Amino acid sequence: DTGHLGHAFTYVSFDVLHRYLEYLGHDVVYVQNLTDVDDDMLRRARETGEDYLALGNRHVTTFLTEMAALNWLPPDRLPRATEHIPQMLDQIERLVASGHAYPADGHVYFSVNSWPTYGEVSKLSRDEMLPLALERGRAWFVPQPLDAGAMHAAAQHLVGHHDFTSFRAKECQSETPVKTLDRLEVSRHGETLEIAATARSFLHHQVRNFAGSLRLVGEGKWPPERVADVLAARDRAAAGPTAPPDGLFLLSVDFG
């Protein structure tokens, strides 16, 4: 929910460019937008019951504090998304009218067909781009190679009747963190890894927290045995980060 090293890399890179241009004697006016509202933040606000403006302000404050700690030169202007909604709507309407965008299911999408050279930078053909576009929201993209065998071995430490406090979200409303996990398997299908879990019930974000920890094992940052230590710690801070919801599906419900 907050910044990470990838964000820092982006802004520090522009900070270096900013400083270098000033070093060369140029007058620089540096403008950087602040995305203080988007689909993910609105979803998060609904999940937590927090006002979306308050959530955005909190993240903006955190971001600016973290960047100041990196000795970042503040931009001259920091326009917020929430301050320019009418301008965005106007631009979207003009894009739709010109044929460069189209509405669908309550959203507006860029029309690839309206831009013949689209994809040249990525060097991907239309046939190669379409499957990637269809995966958005349906899978968690992890750029690093993952060891499915190590992840599966780590997952077996979680199977059984345990106190899953380490993998429980603070917003969880379950009366007890003790649950029985019947199955947790990790398997590879080409470039895709599948994590399958079976239980009578789950804690809030339990499977997503499993996935975040198993990723660390798959990347070689944790040995499989560390998952057992994390489980025994009964401390959410001991576990890995919460994985995004992309690719999380309820496959079946058995009544027997």
Side-chain angles (χ1 to χ4, degrees):
D1 290 337
T2 56
H4 52 69
L5 288 177
H7 294 127
F9 174 81
T10 299
Y11 302 121
V12 169
S13 296
F14 275 94
D15 185 61
V16 171
L17 178 60
H18 184 182
R19 292 172 186 269
Y20 183 61
L21 290 173
E22 289 191 341
Y23 167 76
L24 294 178
H26 296 286
D27 292 327
V28 178
V29 177
Y30 182 22
V31 180
Q32 179 190 309
N33 75 293
L34 289 172
T35 306
D36 56 347
V37 64
D38 61 12
D39 289 345
D40 289 334
M41 294 182 72
L42 291 173
R43 173 184 53 79
R44 186 63 173 165
R46 287 193 297 269
E47 290 176 352
T48 61
E50 184 175 5
D51 177 76
Y52 75 93
L53 291 174
L55 176 65
N57 286 332
R58 182 159 55 81
H59 282 298
V60 166
T61 299
T62 300
F63 167 73
L64 295 177
T65 300
E66 291 173 344
M67 295 312 300
L70 294 175
N71 197 29
W72 172 66
L73 286 180
D76 297 283
R77 298 171 190 166
L78 285 166
R80 291 174 175 244
T82 51
E83 297 171 344
H84 294 82
I85 300 298
Q87 294 92 325
M88 293 182 199
L89 293 175
D90 178 64
Q91 288 185 355
I92 291 170
E93 290 173 355
R94 287 190 282 124
L95 286 169
V96 172
S98 65
H100 289 301
Y102 62 94
D105 299 326
H107 300 276
V108 177
Y109 298 93
F110 174 69
S111 176
V112 175
N113 292 333
S114 72
W115 202 265
T117 59
Y118 185 84
E120 283 189 354
V121 174
S122 67
K123 302 188 184 303
L124 295 175
S125 68
R126 179 182 175 86
D127 289 340
E128 291 172 317
M129 287 189 287
L130 283 175
L132 295 175
L134 291 173
E135 288 180 2
R136 178 173 175 81
R138 298 175 60 186
W140 179 22
F141 176 71
V142 177
Q144 298 85 358
L146 299 176
D147 185 339
M151 294 171 69
H152 180 75
Q156 303 321 296
H157 292 291
L158 300 172
V159 176
H161 189 69
H162 303 292
D163 182 329
F164 287 103
T165 296
S166 295
F167 301 95
R168 179 188 194 185
K170 65 179 181 180
E171 302 91 351
C172 185
Q173 297 180 3
S174 175
E175 294 181 356
T176 173
V178 177
K179 298 288 181 182
T180 300
L181 182 66
D182 298 313
R183 179 175 69 111
L184 188 62
E185 298 177 352
V186 181
S187 56
R188 177 176 291 280
H189 306 275
E191 292 298 313
T192 302
L193 290 188
E194 180 182 286
I195 301 175
T198 302
R200 187 174 296 272
S201 62
F202 292 99
L203 300 169
H204 190 182
H205 287 176
Q206 183 178 356
V207 175
R208 289 171 60 184
N209 292 333
F210 284 165
S213 293
L214 292 176
R215 172 184 174 171
L216 297 176
V217 175
E219 292 175 340
K221 296 177 180 178
W222 285 7
E225 297 76 20
R226 180 165 175 177
V227 171
D229 296 333
V230 170
L231 177 67
R234 300 180 183 179
D235 180 3
R236 177 68 191 94
T242 303
D246 300 357
L248 179 62
F249 298 97
L250 175 64
L251 295 180
S252 65
V253 177
D254 296 327
F255 297 93

